[in-house]
Amino acid sequence: MLRAIRQRLDDRANQHVGLLAEFSDPGALVHAVEDLREKGYSQLDTFSPFPIHGMDRAMGLPFSKLGFMVFGGAITGTFLGFLLQWWTSEVDYAINISNKPLFAWETSVPIMFELTILFAALTAVGGMLALNGLPKPYNPLFNSERFSRATDDAFFVHVSVRDGAFSNAATAEDLHGLGALSVEYVDHEGATLVGAAGEPADVEPIPDDAALPAPVVPHHTTGDI
């Protein structure tokens, strides 16, 4: 059991180890994700400052379970509100007032409504955190300086190394071919900018036809000789 838990924690920690590509705008990001899906990639994650219409369809995400969880929480709140008032009025502290019924559901509606909303809201927040694996104070993507702009004005897609179609060179070439502004390999050690062939590109190579500076020839005056 401990081995299974450790493996699950390792898988969660390595979820965002892979290639991180930045794109210029939401439309470019959506088209890139669609093309990557057509190429066979499935372990994709996207990051943007705001929700992008159509991104869930482009990523092939299944229908969210959160709505069913919230509905279950709401029904639980309604039932508990009903049970609480019935138990206190008719069983635990029954008081006969003018021979009226000890319990009436009509007068219980406000409390039932309040508990319905309370449990639905708590389930929505808790379910969202659980389904997204939050809180997550550490993420390998935090090693990328560019990634800090994901909440401001940048748009990213991440391809995990766990993807069956992942290849450092081929995936980097695919991302560059889709118009990525930059591609970085991100792991637990840091982030490295990579070129179209997957090689490190921290230092740009000098083109073969680049003009080299003229050699400096020392100038001697008559007094120096």
Side-chain angles (χ1 to χ4, degrees):
M1 182 176 179
L2 292 177
R3 181 178 300 176
I5 295 176
R6 188 179 297 109
Q7 182 64 42
R8 187 167 184 177
L9 292 175
D10 289 342
D11 290 341
R12 181 181 176 185
N14 294 327
Q15 178 182 0
H16 287 118
V17 171
L19 291 175
L20 178 69
E22 179 184 353
F23 289 86
S24 58
D25 55 77
L29 182 62
V30 172
H31 292 317
V33 171
E34 292 175 341
D35 289 344
L36 288 173
R37 292 272 300 168
E38 291 179 359
K39 292 177 182 294
Y41 294 96
S42 58
Q43 297 293 322
L44 304 175
D45 205 353
T46 57
F47 306 88
S48 62
F50 48 80
I52 300 176
H53 178 69
M55 182 59 75
D56 52 346
R57 177 191 56 79
M59 295 178 64
L61 297 179
F63 191 80
S64 177
K65 304 175 184 177
L66 187 59
F68 298 102
M69 298 170 64
V70 173
F71 180 75
I75 294 300
T76 301
T78 303
F79 174 75
L80 289 178
F82 178 89
L83 182 63
L84 170 67
Q85 294 176 93
W86 170 80
W87 175 263
T88 55
S89 299
E90 191 163 331
V91 178
D92 187 52
Y93 201 72
I95 300 177
N96 189 335
I97 301 176
S98 301
N99 205 29
K100 294 178 180 179
L102 297 178
F103 172 76
W105 69 268
E106 295 87 352
T107 58
S108 302
V109 169
I111 301 301
M112 293 165 58
F113 172 78
E114 294 294 340
L115 288 183
T116 298
I117 300 301
L118 175 63
F119 275 72
L122 293 177
T123 305
V125 175
M128 180 276 295
L129 294 175
L131 293 176
N132 287 294
L134 300 174
K136 192 174 184 180
Y138 166 74
N139 192 317
L141 296 180
F142 296 160
N143 292 323
S144 170
E145 294 184 5
R146 292 175 178 268
F147 187 69
S148 62
R149 296 172 46 233
T151 57
D152 185 12
D153 60 353
F155 306 89
F156 295 91
V157 62
H158 178 269
V159 184
S160 175
V161 293
R162 301 186 307 173
D163 197 307
F166 182 88
S167 169
N168 195 39
T171 304
E173 183 179 0
D174 290 338
L175 292 171
H176 279 286
L178 293 172
L181 301 179
S182 68
V183 179
E184 293 178 296
Y185 180 78
V186 181
D187 58 14
H188 301 291
E189 302 299 326
T192 303
L193 199 65
V194 298
E199 78 285 357
D202 288 332
V203 180
E204 296 185 359
I206 300 176
D208 295 335
D209 57 350
L212 298 177
V216 178
V217 179
H219 177 70
H220 300 283
T221 63
T222 305
D224 295 328
I225 299 177

